[in-house]
Amino acid sequence: MAVYGNISYWNERYSKEEEQFDWHQKWCGIKHIFSELNIRNDAKILNIGCGTSKLSEEMLENGFTSITNIDASSVCIQKMQELYKDQQNLKYMLMNVCDMKQFKNAEFDVIIDKACLDSVLCSEDSLKNVEEMLSEVARVLKSDGTFIIISHAQPNYRLGYLQKEEYKWSVTIKTVKRPMLGVVAPPVDDCLHYVYICKKGSVITEQ
Ligand SMILES: C[S@@+](CC[C@H](N)C(=O)[O-])C[C@H]1O[C@@H](n2cnc3c(N)ncnc32)[C@H](O)[C@@H]1O
């Protein structure tokens, strides 16, 4: 859907949508991966293309202590800043993931992308945007940091973008079941979400 790469689409959508909404997976569907990766509670975390997801709130409830959230939709960020104004450990900033110059090099231990790369890939000039996005992610990620992407797309549609030497990470893939809410007959071909784990600083073996 080409609209997902268009920020005016998101602004309009967030202006109409009252409830918070989580794309792909909720925290309960992916938290085992954070445990398996031994992500520390005091990790400095960046959630890119956060939308109105409850992910960061639920991560805080699970003990994480520092989560910065960015999104390019001003409507989204205004809503989230208001909603979480009393929550010191959650920060919401208006920012394009392709240009994160407000952040220093190597600022974050963990970067989470839940359906943001999927959206950027729908944008006009998507190849340029994805390259800029991934270079920026690699820049602001610490030298031993982890970039975790939750995507609807199978590896042959994502690895070509992610597996580049310049990013200095190695990529492993896990899958999680798609929630089947409201679906009477599950699709036979692909009822999975793909989790791409890009780990800097060490080579991990495929699982
Ligand atoms: C499919 S939604 C996912 C929202 C949330 N992460 C979730 O899992 O529910 C994609 C989000 O990415 C944001 N987005 C799209 N392009 C972006 C960009 N270039 N920079 C920052 N955010 C972007 C949109 O505004 C939207 O909130």
Side-chain angles (χ1 to χ4, degrees):
M1 281 272 286
V3 290
Y4 293 153
N6 187 339
I7 297 305
S8 51
Y9 163 80
W10 290 106
N11 276 330
E12 198 182 327
R13 182 175 173 136
Y14 291 130
S15 304
K16 293 184 194 148
E17 211 169 57
E18 305 233 318
E19 301 281 302
Q20 284 181 261
F21 184 78
D22 260 286
W23 286 75
H24 295 354
Q25 293 282 328
K26 295 184 178 195
W27 171 239
C28 60
I30 53 171
K31 67 179 187 184
H32 63 282
I33 292 175
F34 284 69
S35 305
E36 286 161 19
L37 292 171
N38 293 318
I39 308 285
R40 293 161 48 126
N41 279 354
D42 63 356
K44 209 170 164 208
I45 297 173
L46 173 65
N47 181 7
I48 55 177
C50 58
T52 55
S53 160
K54 286 197 177 179
L55 185 83
S56 296
E57 173 190 334
E58 291 171 350
M59 288 181 71
L60 229 59
E61 285 165 9
N62 263 243
F64 292 97
T65 54
S66 166
I67 311 179
T68 301
N69 301 268
I70 66 162
D71 202 287
S73 159
S74 54
V75 178
C76 161
I77 291 299
Q78 269 169 24
K79 271 194 176 189
M80 298 302 269
Q81 282 174 341
E82 176 58 27
L83 205 56
Y84 294 110
K85 61 176 185 283
D86 299 326
Q87 188 49 264
Q88 300 292 312
N89 295 343
L90 284 186
K91 200 169 173 188
Y92 284 85
M93 300 169 75
L94 179 64
M95 204 182 297
N96 187 333
V97 71
C98 305
D99 178 6
M100 298 194 279
K101 60 175 165 295
Q102 291 181 66
F103 297 137
K104 296 191 291 260
N105 293 353
E107 203 168 323
F108 296 98
D109 297 295
V110 176
I111 301 181
I112 306 169
D113 171 329
K114 192 157 68 69
C116 180
L117 176 62
D118 291 346
S119 294
V120 172
L121 272 165
C122 296
S123 59
E124 257 180 56
D125 223 351
S126 61
L127 290 185
K128 176 177 160 279
N129 291 337
V130 166
E131 272 185 20
E132 286 175 0
M133 167 183 175
L134 294 175
S135 317
E136 277 293 80
V137 167
R139 181 183 68 78
V140 303
L141 191 61
K142 287 187 185 171
S143 58
D144 59 350
T146 311
F147 176 35
I148 302 169
I149 303 160
I150 298 99
S151 168
H152 64 80
Q154 295 178 2
N156 47 332
Y157 297 106
R158 290 292 177 269
L159 287 180
Y161 300 112
L162 295 171
Q163 283 181 321
K164 292 197 179 160
E165 236 173 83
E166 69 209 68
Y167 302 142
K168 300 191 173 74
W169 57 46
S170 56
V171 185
T172 51
I173 306 160
K174 291 180 186 277
T175 54
V176 284
K177 278 203 180 124
R178 276 181 201 237
M180 287 298 173
L181 287 178
V183 177
V184 181
V188 282
D189 54 340
D190 189 358
C191 49
L192 299 172
H193 284 133
Y194 295 84
V195 183
Y196 297 93
I197 299 161
C198 306
K199 177 84 184 107
K200 271 192 179 178
S202 70
V203 178
I204 353 176
T205 49
E206 294 254 339
Q207 296 183 4

PDB file of all heavy atoms in Angstrom, residues 4-5 7 10 14 21-25 47-53 70-73 76 95-98 114-116 119-120, ligand 1:
ATOM      1  N   TYR A   4       1.157   4.093   2.881  1.00  0.00           N
ATOM      2  CA  TYR A   4       1.844   3.935   4.168  1.00  0.00           C
ATOM      3  C   TYR A   4       3.179   4.678   4.221  1.00  0.00           C
ATOM      4  O   TYR A   4       3.734   4.892   5.292  1.00  0.00           O
ATOM      5  CB  TYR A   4       2.059   2.450   4.494  1.00  0.00           C
ATOM      6  CG  TYR A   4       0.775   1.686   4.750  1.00  0.00           C
ATOM      7  CD1 TYR A   4       0.702   0.318   4.519  1.00  0.00           C
ATOM      8  CD2 TYR A   4      -0.361   2.321   5.242  1.00  0.00           C
ATOM      9  CE1 TYR A   4      -0.475  -0.393   4.760  1.00  0.00           C
ATOM     10  CE2 TYR A   4      -1.539   1.622   5.473  1.00  0.00           C
ATOM     11  CZ  TYR A   4      -1.587   0.267   5.228  1.00  0.00           C
ATOM     12  OH  TYR A   4      -2.738  -0.430   5.466  1.00  0.00           O
ATOM     13  N   GLY A   5       3.701   5.047   3.081  1.00  0.00           N
ATOM     14  CA  GLY A   5       4.949   5.794   3.067  1.00  0.00           C
ATOM     15  C   GLY A   5       4.745   7.302   3.034  1.00  0.00           C
ATOM     16  O   GLY A   5       5.694   8.068   2.945  1.00  0.00           O
ATOM     17  N   ILE A   7       3.463  10.673   4.838  1.00  0.00           N
ATOM     18  CA  ILE A   7       3.196  11.156   6.202  1.00  0.00           C
ATOM     19  C   ILE A   7       1.838  11.860   6.306  1.00  0.00           C
ATOM     20  O   ILE A   7       1.179  11.816   7.350  1.00  0.00           O
ATOM     21  CB  ILE A   7       4.363  12.054   6.699  1.00  0.00           C
ATOM     22  CG1 ILE A   7       5.669  11.237   6.776  1.00  0.00           C
ATOM     23  CG2 ILE A   7       4.060  12.655   8.079  1.00  0.00           C
ATOM     24  CD1 ILE A   7       5.622   9.965   7.606  1.00  0.00           C
ATOM     25  N   TRP A  10      -0.639   9.402   7.362  1.00  0.00           N
ATOM     26  CA  TRP A  10      -0.601   9.079   8.798  1.00  0.00           C
ATOM     27  C   TRP A  10      -1.205  10.204   9.626  1.00  0.00           C
ATOM     28  O   TRP A  10      -1.936   9.958  10.595  1.00  0.00           O
ATOM     29  CB  TRP A  10       0.837   8.767   9.229  1.00  0.00           C
ATOM     30  CG  TRP A  10       1.304   7.473   8.651  1.00  0.00           C
ATOM     31  CD1 TRP A  10       2.191   7.303   7.626  1.00  0.00           C
ATOM     32  CD2 TRP A  10       0.854   6.159   9.005  1.00  0.00           C
ATOM     33  NE1 TRP A  10       2.339   5.968   7.333  1.00  0.00           N
ATOM     34  CE2 TRP A  10       1.530   5.240   8.160  1.00  0.00           C
ATOM     35  CE3 TRP A  10      -0.038   5.663   9.944  1.00  0.00           C
ATOM     36  CZ2 TRP A  10       1.330   3.859   8.243  1.00  0.00           C
ATOM     37  CZ3 TRP A  10      -0.237   4.290  10.025  1.00  0.00           C
ATOM     38  CH2 TRP A  10       0.439   3.415   9.186  1.00  0.00           C
ATOM     39  N   TYR A  14      -4.264   9.512  12.058  1.00  0.00           N
ATOM     40  CA  TYR A  14      -4.192   9.724  13.506  1.00  0.00           C
ATOM     41  C   TYR A  14      -5.158  10.811  13.976  1.00  0.00           C
ATOM     42  O   TYR A  14      -5.553  10.830  15.140  1.00  0.00           O
ATOM     43  CB  TYR A  14      -2.749  10.048  13.925  1.00  0.00           C
ATOM     44  CG  TYR A  14      -1.794   8.867  13.792  1.00  0.00           C
ATOM     45  CD1 TYR A  14      -0.577   8.999  13.135  1.00  0.00           C
ATOM     46  CD2 TYR A  14      -2.120   7.617  14.326  1.00  0.00           C
ATOM     47  CE1 TYR A  14       0.299   7.920  13.006  1.00  0.00           C
ATOM     48  CE2 TYR A  14      -1.255   6.540  14.198  1.00  0.00           C
ATOM     49  CZ  TYR A  14      -0.046   6.689  13.537  1.00  0.00           C
ATOM     50  OH  TYR A  14       0.807   5.623  13.416  1.00  0.00           O
ATOM     51  N   PHE A  21      -3.293   2.058  18.699  1.00  0.00           N
ATOM     52  CA  PHE A  21      -3.321   0.864  17.841  1.00  0.00           C
ATOM     53  C   PHE A  21      -1.915   0.290  17.677  1.00  0.00           C
ATOM     54  O   PHE A  21      -0.957   1.038  17.500  1.00  0.00           O
ATOM     55  CB  PHE A  21      -3.893   1.224  16.461  1.00  0.00           C
ATOM     56  CG  PHE A  21      -4.039   0.040  15.549  1.00  0.00           C
ATOM     57  CD1 PHE A  21      -5.101  -0.839  15.701  1.00  0.00           C
ATOM     58  CD2 PHE A  21      -3.102  -0.210  14.551  1.00  0.00           C
ATOM     59  CE1 PHE A  21      -5.229  -1.954  14.870  1.00  0.00           C
ATOM     60  CE2 PHE A  21      -3.228  -1.321  13.712  1.00  0.00           C
ATOM     61  CZ  PHE A  21      -4.294  -2.192  13.871  1.00  0.00           C
ATOM     62  N   ASP A  22      -1.813  -1.013  17.759  1.00  0.00           N
ATOM     63  CA  ASP A  22      -0.532  -1.701  17.556  1.00  0.00           C
ATOM     64  C   ASP A  22      -0.539  -2.484  16.252  1.00  0.00           C
ATOM     65  O   ASP A  22      -1.355  -3.378  16.069  1.00  0.00           O
ATOM     66  CB  ASP A  22      -0.280  -2.702  18.700  1.00  0.00           C
ATOM     67  CG  ASP A  22       0.664  -2.137  19.726  1.00  0.00           C
ATOM     68  OD1 ASP A  22       1.881  -2.062  19.419  1.00  0.00           O
ATOM     69  OD2 ASP A  22       0.215  -1.748  20.807  1.00  0.00           O
ATOM     70  N   TRP A  23       0.404  -2.176  15.394  1.00  0.00           N
ATOM     71  CA  TRP A  23       0.555  -2.923  14.144  1.00  0.00           C
ATOM     72  C   TRP A  23       1.318  -4.219  14.401  1.00  0.00           C
ATOM     73  O   TRP A  23       2.162  -4.283  15.298  1.00  0.00           O
ATOM     74  CB  TRP A  23       1.314  -2.090  13.110  1.00  0.00           C
ATOM     75  CG  TRP A  23       0.461  -0.988  12.551  1.00  0.00           C
ATOM     76  CD1 TRP A  23       0.126   0.167  13.190  1.00  0.00           C
ATOM     77  CD2 TRP A  23      -0.195  -0.960  11.282  1.00  0.00           C
ATOM     78  NE1 TRP A  23      -0.692   0.920  12.392  1.00  0.00           N
ATOM     79  CE2 TRP A  23      -0.900   0.255  11.211  1.00  0.00           C
ATOM     80  CE3 TRP A  23      -0.239  -1.835  10.200  1.00  0.00           C
ATOM     81  CZ2 TRP A  23      -1.645   0.612  10.094  1.00  0.00           C
ATOM     82  CZ3 TRP A  23      -0.982  -1.483   9.081  1.00  0.00           C
ATOM     83  CH2 TRP A  23      -1.682  -0.263   9.045  1.00  0.00           C
ATOM     84  N   HIS A  24       1.044  -5.194  13.586  1.00  0.00           N
ATOM     85  CA  HIS A  24       1.719  -6.503  13.566  1.00  0.00           C
ATOM     86  C   HIS A  24       1.593  -7.263  14.895  1.00  0.00           C
ATOM     87  O   HIS A  24       0.880  -8.237  14.972  1.00  0.00           O
ATOM     88  CB  HIS A  24       3.210  -6.380  13.214  1.00  0.00           C
ATOM     89  CG  HIS A  24       3.495  -5.872  11.825  1.00  0.00           C
ATOM     90  ND1 HIS A  24       2.530  -5.639  10.883  1.00  0.00           N
ATOM     91  CD2 HIS A  24       4.686  -5.551  11.222  1.00  0.00           C
ATOM     92  CE1 HIS A  24       3.098  -5.212   9.760  1.00  0.00           C
ATOM     93  NE2 HIS A  24       4.395  -5.144   9.938  1.00  0.00           N
ATOM     94  N   GLN A  25       2.308  -6.813  15.900  1.00  0.00           N
ATOM     95  CA  GLN A  25       2.381  -7.553  17.163  1.00  0.00           C
ATOM     96  C   GLN A  25       2.258  -6.605  18.341  1.00  0.00           C
ATOM     97  O   GLN A  25       2.665  -5.456  18.247  1.00  0.00           O
ATOM     98  CB  GLN A  25       3.749  -8.248  17.282  1.00  0.00           C
ATOM     99  CG  GLN A  25       3.992  -9.356  16.295  1.00  0.00           C
ATOM    100  CD  GLN A  25       3.302 -10.649  16.662  1.00  0.00           C
ATOM    101  OE1 GLN A  25       3.135 -10.955  17.848  1.00  0.00           O
ATOM    102  NE2 GLN A  25       2.897 -11.415  15.661  1.00  0.00           N
ATOM    103  N   ASN A  47      12.524   3.679  19.842  1.00  0.00           N
ATOM    104  CA  ASN A  47      11.428   3.044  19.094  1.00  0.00           C
ATOM    105  C   ASN A  47      11.116   3.947  17.893  1.00  0.00           C
ATOM    106  O   ASN A  47      10.626   5.064  18.060  1.00  0.00           O
ATOM    107  CB  ASN A  47      10.217   2.919  20.039  1.00  0.00           C
ATOM    108  CG  ASN A  47       9.012   2.261  19.385  1.00  0.00           C
ATOM    109  OD1 ASN A  47       9.101   1.765  18.255  1.00  0.00           O
ATOM    110  ND2 ASN A  47       7.889   2.268  20.090  1.00  0.00           N
ATOM    111  N   ILE A  48      11.439   3.465  16.688  1.00  0.00           N
ATOM    112  CA  ILE A  48      11.286   4.319  15.495  1.00  0.00           C
ATOM    113  C   ILE A  48       9.936   4.075  14.814  1.00  0.00           C
ATOM    114  O   ILE A  48       9.484   2.954  14.714  1.00  0.00           O
ATOM    115  CB  ILE A  48      12.460   4.132  14.495  1.00  0.00           C
ATOM    116  CG1 ILE A  48      12.645   2.661  14.101  1.00  0.00           C
ATOM    117  CG2 ILE A  48      13.750   4.683  15.067  1.00  0.00           C
ATOM    118  CD1 ILE A  48      13.731   2.432  13.058  1.00  0.00           C
ATOM    119  N   GLY A  49       9.307   5.173  14.362  1.00  0.00           N
ATOM    120  CA  GLY A  49       7.976   5.059  13.753  1.00  0.00           C
ATOM    121  C   GLY A  49       7.002   4.486  14.766  1.00  0.00           C
ATOM    122  O   GLY A  49       6.258   3.549  14.486  1.00  0.00           O
ATOM    123  N   CYS A  50       7.014   5.094  15.970  1.00  0.00           N
ATOM    124  CA  CYS A  50       6.301   4.511  17.124  1.00  0.00           C
ATOM    125  C   CYS A  50       4.788   4.464  16.932  1.00  0.00           C
ATOM    126  O   CYS A  50       4.107   3.603  17.481  1.00  0.00           O
ATOM    127  CB  CYS A  50       6.635   5.296  18.384  1.00  0.00           C
ATOM    128  SG  CYS A  50       6.234   7.069  18.264  1.00  0.00           S
ATOM    129  N   GLY A  51       4.231   5.403  16.134  1.00  0.00           N
ATOM    130  CA  GLY A  51       2.783   5.470  15.985  1.00  0.00           C
ATOM    131  C   GLY A  51       2.106   5.655  17.341  1.00  0.00           C
ATOM    132  O   GLY A  51       2.676   6.243  18.264  1.00  0.00           O
ATOM    133  N   THR A  52       0.883   5.117  17.465  1.00  0.00           N
ATOM    134  CA  THR A  52       0.161   5.236  18.744  1.00  0.00           C
ATOM    135  C   THR A  52       0.209   3.906  19.501  1.00  0.00           C
ATOM    136  O   THR A  52      -0.631   3.633  20.362  1.00  0.00           O
ATOM    137  CB  THR A  52      -1.306   5.661  18.502  1.00  0.00           C
ATOM    138  OG1 THR A  52      -1.911   4.716  17.595  1.00  0.00           O
ATOM    139  CG2 THR A  52      -1.396   7.052  17.909  1.00  0.00           C
ATOM    140  N   SER A  53       1.215   3.110  19.171  1.00  0.00           N
ATOM    141  CA  SER A  53       1.381   1.796  19.790  1.00  0.00           C
ATOM    142  C   SER A  53       1.543   1.884  21.308  1.00  0.00           C
ATOM    143  O   SER A  53       2.116   2.838  21.838  1.00  0.00           O
ATOM    144  CB  SER A  53       2.629   1.174  19.167  1.00  0.00           C
ATOM    145  OG  SER A  53       3.131   0.154  19.956  1.00  0.00           O
ATOM    146  N   ILE A  70      10.189   8.001  18.325  1.00  0.00           N
ATOM    147  CA  ILE A  70      10.098   9.036  17.297  1.00  0.00           C
ATOM    148  C   ILE A  70       9.075   8.630  16.236  1.00  0.00           C
ATOM    149  O   ILE A  70       8.840   7.450  15.990  1.00  0.00           O
ATOM    150  CB  ILE A  70      11.464   9.331  16.616  1.00  0.00           C
ATOM    151  CG1 ILE A  70      11.967   8.118  15.814  1.00  0.00           C
ATOM    152  CG2 ILE A  70      12.488   9.778  17.629  1.00  0.00           C
ATOM    153  CD1 ILE A  70      13.043   8.483  14.795  1.00  0.00           C
ATOM    154  N   ASP A  71       8.488   9.642  15.619  1.00  0.00           N
ATOM    155  CA  ASP A  71       7.599   9.415  14.482  1.00  0.00           C
ATOM    156  C   ASP A  71       7.595  10.702  13.653  1.00  0.00           C
ATOM    157  O   ASP A  71       7.788  11.798  14.190  1.00  0.00           O
ATOM    158  CB  ASP A  71       6.184   9.083  14.959  1.00  0.00           C
ATOM    159  CG  ASP A  71       5.382   8.337  13.885  1.00  0.00           C
ATOM    160  OD1 ASP A  71       4.975   8.987  12.886  1.00  0.00           O
ATOM    161  OD2 ASP A  71       5.163   7.117  14.026  1.00  0.00           O
ATOM    162  N   ALA A  72       7.379  10.569  12.354  1.00  0.00           N
ATOM    163  CA  ALA A  72       7.360  11.741  11.474  1.00  0.00           C
ATOM    164  C   ALA A  72       5.974  12.382  11.415  1.00  0.00           C
ATOM    165  O   ALA A  72       5.823  13.435  10.793  1.00  0.00           O
ATOM    166  CB  ALA A  72       7.810  11.334  10.074  1.00  0.00           C
ATOM    167  N   SER A  73       4.979  11.768  12.048  1.00  0.00           N
ATOM    168  CA  SER A  73       3.634  12.361  12.058  1.00  0.00           C
ATOM    169  C   SER A  73       3.484  13.281  13.269  1.00  0.00           C
ATOM    170  O   SER A  73       3.547  12.824  14.418  1.00  0.00           O
ATOM    171  CB  SER A  73       2.577  11.252  12.107  1.00  0.00           C
ATOM    172  OG  SER A  73       1.364  11.786  12.593  1.00  0.00           O
ATOM    173  N   CYS A  76       0.509  12.342  15.502  1.00  0.00           N
ATOM    174  CA  CYS A  76       0.826  11.197  16.360  1.00  0.00           C
ATOM    175  C   CYS A  76       1.650  11.650  17.575  1.00  0.00           C
ATOM    176  O   CYS A  76       1.336  11.319  18.715  1.00  0.00           O
ATOM    177  CB  CYS A  76       1.600  10.171  15.531  1.00  0.00           C
ATOM    178  SG  CYS A  76       2.525   8.976  16.461  1.00  0.00           S
ATOM    179  N   MET A  95      10.291  13.311  14.493  1.00  0.00           N
ATOM    180  CA  MET A  95      11.547  13.142  13.760  1.00  0.00           C
ATOM    181  C   MET A  95      11.359  12.157  12.604  1.00  0.00           C
ATOM    182  O   MET A  95      10.642  11.162  12.743  1.00  0.00           O
ATOM    183  CB  MET A  95      12.627  12.592  14.700  1.00  0.00           C
ATOM    184  CG  MET A  95      14.034  12.905  14.263  1.00  0.00           C
ATOM    185  SD  MET A  95      15.276  12.175  15.371  1.00  0.00           S
ATOM    186  CE  MET A  95      14.947  13.006  16.917  1.00  0.00           C
ATOM    187  N   ASN A  96      12.025  12.471  11.500  1.00  0.00           N
ATOM    188  CA  ASN A  96      12.054  11.557  10.367  1.00  0.00           C
ATOM    189  C   ASN A  96      13.194  10.555  10.592  1.00  0.00           C
ATOM    190  O   ASN A  96      14.328  10.961  10.867  1.00  0.00           O
ATOM    191  CB  ASN A  96      12.299  12.360   9.077  1.00  0.00           C
ATOM    192  CG  ASN A  96      12.182  11.501   7.840  1.00  0.00           C
ATOM    193  OD1 ASN A  96      12.410  10.300   7.855  1.00  0.00           O
ATOM    194  ND2 ASN A  96      11.789  12.139   6.747  1.00  0.00           N
ATOM    195  N   VAL A  97      12.888   9.284  10.460  1.00  0.00           N
ATOM    196  CA  VAL A  97      13.896   8.249  10.727  1.00  0.00           C
ATOM    197  C   VAL A  97      15.050   8.301   9.709  1.00  0.00           C
ATOM    198  O   VAL A  97      16.132   7.772   9.969  1.00  0.00           O
ATOM    199  CB  VAL A  97      13.208   6.858  10.751  1.00  0.00           C
ATOM    200  CG1 VAL A  97      12.756   6.426   9.356  1.00  0.00           C
ATOM    201  CG2 VAL A  97      14.086   5.806  11.378  1.00  0.00           C
ATOM    202  N   CYS A  98      14.827   8.969   8.598  1.00  0.00           N
ATOM    203  CA  CYS A  98      15.893   9.097   7.584  1.00  0.00           C
ATOM    204  C   CYS A  98      16.858  10.229   7.927  1.00  0.00           C
ATOM    205  O   CYS A  98      17.870  10.406   7.233  1.00  0.00           O
ATOM    206  CB  CYS A  98      15.297   9.360   6.202  1.00  0.00           C
ATOM    207  SG  CYS A  98      14.105   8.133   5.704  1.00  0.00           S
ATOM    208  N   LYS A 114       8.864  -1.507  14.595  1.00  0.00           N
ATOM    209  CA  LYS A 114       7.694  -2.372  14.390  1.00  0.00           C
ATOM    210  C   LYS A 114       6.882  -1.741  13.261  1.00  0.00           C
ATOM    211  O   LYS A 114       6.201  -0.754  13.462  1.00  0.00           O
ATOM    212  CB  LYS A 114       6.902  -2.510  15.701  1.00  0.00           C
ATOM    213  CG  LYS A 114       5.849  -3.621  15.632  1.00  0.00           C
ATOM    214  CD  LYS A 114       5.443  -4.162  17.005  1.00  0.00           C
ATOM    215  CE  LYS A 114       4.689  -3.192  17.874  1.00  0.00           C
ATOM    216  NZ  LYS A 114       3.347  -2.885  17.384  1.00  0.00           N
ATOM    217  N   ALA A 115       7.063  -2.273  12.071  1.00  0.00           N
ATOM    218  CA  ALA A 115       6.324  -1.839  10.867  1.00  0.00           C
ATOM    219  C   ALA A 115       6.720  -0.457  10.352  1.00  0.00           C
ATOM    220  O   ALA A 115       5.998   0.111   9.542  1.00  0.00           O
ATOM    221  CB  ALA A 115       4.816  -1.891  11.107  1.00  0.00           C
ATOM    222  N   CYS A 116       7.877   0.065  10.788  1.00  0.00           N
ATOM    223  CA  CYS A 116       8.324   1.361  10.257  1.00  0.00           C
ATOM    224  C   CYS A 116       9.053   1.148   8.925  1.00  0.00           C
ATOM    225  O   CYS A 116       8.730   1.798   7.920  1.00  0.00           O
ATOM    226  CB  CYS A 116       9.202   2.083  11.282  1.00  0.00           C
ATOM    227  SG  CYS A 116       9.792   3.688  10.709  1.00  0.00           S
ATOM    228  N   SER A 119       6.752   0.590   6.245  1.00  0.00           N
ATOM    229  CA  SER A 119       6.105   1.810   5.735  1.00  0.00           C
ATOM    230  C   SER A 119       7.048   2.620   4.856  1.00  0.00           C
ATOM    231  O   SER A 119       6.646   3.099   3.790  1.00  0.00           O
ATOM    232  CB  SER A 119       5.653   2.709   6.898  1.00  0.00           C
ATOM    233  OG  SER A 119       4.645   2.082   7.610  1.00  0.00           O
ATOM    234  N   VAL A 120       8.296   2.750   5.306  1.00  0.00           N
ATOM    235  CA  VAL A 120       9.261   3.542   4.521  1.00  0.00           C
ATOM    236  C   VAL A 120       9.454   2.907   3.139  1.00  0.00           C
ATOM    237  O   VAL A 120       9.621   3.605   2.139  1.00  0.00           O
ATOM    238  CB  VAL A 120      10.607   3.691   5.289  1.00  0.00           C
ATOM    239  CG1 VAL A 120      11.667   4.337   4.424  1.00  0.00           C
ATOM    240  CG2 VAL A 120      10.397   4.517   6.563  1.00  0.00           C
TER     241      VAL A 120
HETATM  242  C1  LIG B   1       2.541   0.890  10.340  1.00  0.00           C
HETATM  243  S1  LIG B   1       2.749   2.210  11.466  1.00  0.00           S
HETATM  244  C2  LIG B   1       3.487   1.360  12.832  1.00  0.00           C
HETATM  245  C3  LIG B   1       3.285   2.109  14.127  1.00  0.00           C
HETATM  246  C4  LIG B   1       3.832   1.386  15.363  1.00  0.00           C
HETATM  247  N1  LIG B   1       5.261   1.166  15.283  1.00  0.00           N
HETATM  248  C5  LIG B   1       3.140   0.081  15.620  1.00  0.00           C
HETATM  249  O1  LIG B   1       3.793  -0.960  15.584  1.00  0.00           O
HETATM  250  O2  LIG B   1       1.941   0.102  15.884  1.00  0.00           O
HETATM  251  C6  LIG B   1       4.134   3.071  10.755  1.00  0.00           C
HETATM  252  C7  LIG B   1       4.516   4.336  11.476  1.00  0.00           C
HETATM  253  O3  LIG B   1       5.731   4.804  10.889  1.00  0.00           O
HETATM  254  C8  LIG B   1       5.661   6.208  10.793  1.00  0.00           C
HETATM  255  N2  LIG B   1       6.574   6.617   9.722  1.00  0.00           N
HETATM  256  C9  LIG B   1       6.472   6.394   8.389  1.00  0.00           C
HETATM  257  N3  LIG B   1       7.527   6.925   7.738  1.00  0.00           N
HETATM  258  C10 LIG B   1       8.326   7.488   8.696  1.00  0.00           C
HETATM  259  C11 LIG B   1       9.563   8.189   8.662  1.00  0.00           C
HETATM  260  N4  LIG B   1      10.198   8.427   7.508  1.00  0.00           N
HETATM  261  N5  LIG B   1      10.095   8.617   9.823  1.00  0.00           N
HETATM  262  C12 LIG B   1       9.466   8.369  10.999  1.00  0.00           C
HETATM  263  N6  LIG B   1       8.283   7.739  11.091  1.00  0.00           N
HETATM  264  C13 LIG B   1       7.726   7.285   9.953  1.00  0.00           C
HETATM  265  C14 LIG B   1       4.194   6.510  10.506  1.00  0.00           C
HETATM  266  O4  LIG B   1       3.842   7.836  10.836  1.00  0.00           O
HETATM  267  C15 LIG B   1       3.500   5.464  11.371  1.00  0.00           C
HETATM  268  O5  LIG B   1       3.230   5.970  12.642  1.00  0.00           O
END
